[in-house]
């Protein structure tokens, strides 16, 4: 594998992303909605439907009690890796071949045990680095951010191989990747404002209300995650990288 430094700016990556999404927004948003339902709405619904498996904890920061569901947390712990790989599988198929099939979200279950192990190992590494301080934890998260894409693209690869290759890919690219993510902060804030304006509710109605309120976030997530797959293809050579610009001083005779 050749090491590639991504030279495209965040603005250029977003432009490539918008070009790919042009005329395809509905299918990508639909896939993100499926992902949100499977990873957020269903856990919330489980917490409501099985209240006996929940307990309340007082949050001193919020100064209120919050409900924690054993069943909901178990669901997320066991399945989040598979859905993460599935999302990457969808995004790769969409960006490379314009295959807009939301069912790809479930492709991660074809490598369920690997995806689960990858989620566990990735979480452990990020947690251990995070013990040193916040910044090392963030750097670790960026370092291993491409592992799910690697597993989605090459399901035959082992968990540690995916982690090592992600580390290799992100060497010299972590700052660029972080800048790209931060370039969406305005959209995230706008979506959050819209979400906060939606009235809250409880019970099953609250779960439905939460999904409706999250639609702006789902749209922004569709945009941001497509940009991430653009970054992945640039950093792995699947998308022709921008050529470096040289001045006369750069040439040596």
């Amino acid at each position: 594998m050749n090491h590639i430094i991504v030279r495209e700016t965040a603005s250029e990556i977003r432009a490539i992303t918008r070009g790919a999404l042009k005329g395809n927004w509905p299918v990508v948003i639909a896939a993100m909605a499926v992902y949100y339902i499977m990873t957020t709405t269903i856990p919330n619904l489980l917490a409501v439907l099985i209240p006996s498996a929940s307990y309340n904890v007082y949050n001193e920061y919020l100064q209120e009690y919050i409900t924690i569901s054993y069943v909901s947390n178990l669901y997320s712990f066991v399945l989040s890796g598979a859905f993460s790989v599935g999302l990457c599988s969808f995004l790769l198929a969409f960006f490379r071949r314009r295959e807009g099939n939301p069912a790809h979200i479930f492709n991660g279950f074809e490598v369920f045990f690997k995806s689960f192990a990858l989620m566990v190992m990735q979480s452990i590494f990020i947690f251990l680095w995070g013990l040193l301080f916040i910044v090392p934890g963030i750097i670790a998260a960026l370092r291993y951010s491409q592992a799910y894409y690697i597993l989605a693209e090459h399901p035959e690869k082992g968990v540690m191989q995916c982690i090592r290759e992600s580390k290799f890919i992100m060497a010299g690219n972590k700052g660029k990747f972080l800048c790209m993510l931060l370039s969406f902060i305005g959209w995230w804030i706008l979506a959050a404002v819209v979400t906060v304006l939606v009235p809250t509710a409880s019970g099953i109605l609250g779960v439905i209300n939460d999904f409706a309120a999250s639609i702006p976030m789902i749209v922004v997530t569709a945009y941001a995650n497509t940009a991430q797959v653009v970054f992945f293809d640039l950093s792995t050579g699947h998308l022709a990288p921008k050529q470096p610009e040289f001045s006369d001083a750069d040439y040596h005779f």
Side-chain angles (χ1 to χ4, degrees), residues 59-79:
N59 187 303
E60 294 184 359
Y61 179 76
L62 298 175
Q63 294 187 342
E64 63 181 22
Y65 282 95
I66 59 174
T67 301
I68 298 178
S69 170
Y70 292 112
V71 175
S72 176
N73 287 343
L74 180 62
Y75 173 95
S76 298
F77 176 71
V78 173
L79 301 182

Side-chain angles (χ1 to χ4, degrees), residues 72-237:
S72 176
N73 287 343
L74 180 62
Y75 173 95
S76 298
F77 176 71
V78 173
L79 301 182
S80 62
F83 284 124
S84 295
V85 173
L87 177 60
C88 292
S89 176
F90 167 82
L91 291 169
L92 287 169
F94 165 73
F95 182 67
R96 293 178 180 178
R97 301 183 296 275
R98 296 300 186 271
E99 292 181 10
N101 184 1
H104 285 323
I105 296 296
F106 299 94
N107 284 358
F109 286 91
E110 296 176 2
V111 287
F112 175 78
F113 292 105
K114 280 187 180 180
S115 63
F116 174 75
L118 178 57
M119 181 275 297
V120 172
M121 295 306 299
Q122 188 184 61
S123 299
I124 290 175
F125 286 145
I126 293 173
F127 172 76
L128 292 176
W129 280 104
L131 290 177
L132 298 178
F133 201 60
I134 296 175
V135 173
I138 294 174
I139 293 174
L142 296 171
R143 181 184 298 129
Y144 307 126
S145 61
Q146 309 304 302
Y148 287 122
Y149 287 105
I150 295 169
L151 183 57
E153 183 180 30
H154 298 287
E156 75 281 358
K157 291 186 177 182
V159 170
M160 294 309 299
Q161 184 178 1
C162 293
I163 289 176
R164 286 194 299 269
E165 289 188 10
S166 177
K167 181 179 179 180
F168 175 79
I169 289 170
M170 294 304 288
N173 284 320
K174 291 185 287 292
K176 179 77 71 172
F177 188 67
L178 179 60
C179 288
M180 185 202 71
L181 295 178
L182 291 177
S183 72
F184 289 94
I185 194 167
W187 291 106
W188 291 119
I189 293 174
L190 180 61
V193 169
V194 175
T195 299
V196 170
L197 294 176
V198 177
T200 59
S202 59
I204 294 179
L205 180 60
V207 175
I208 297 173
N209 193 66
D210 173 77
F211 174 76
S214 299
I215 291 176
M217 281 290 187
I218 291 172
V219 174
V220 176
T221 301
Y223 185 15
N225 281 24
T226 305
Q228 290 182 49
V229 80
V230 172
F231 188 94
F232 176 76
D233 270 8
L234 285 169
S235 63
T236 55

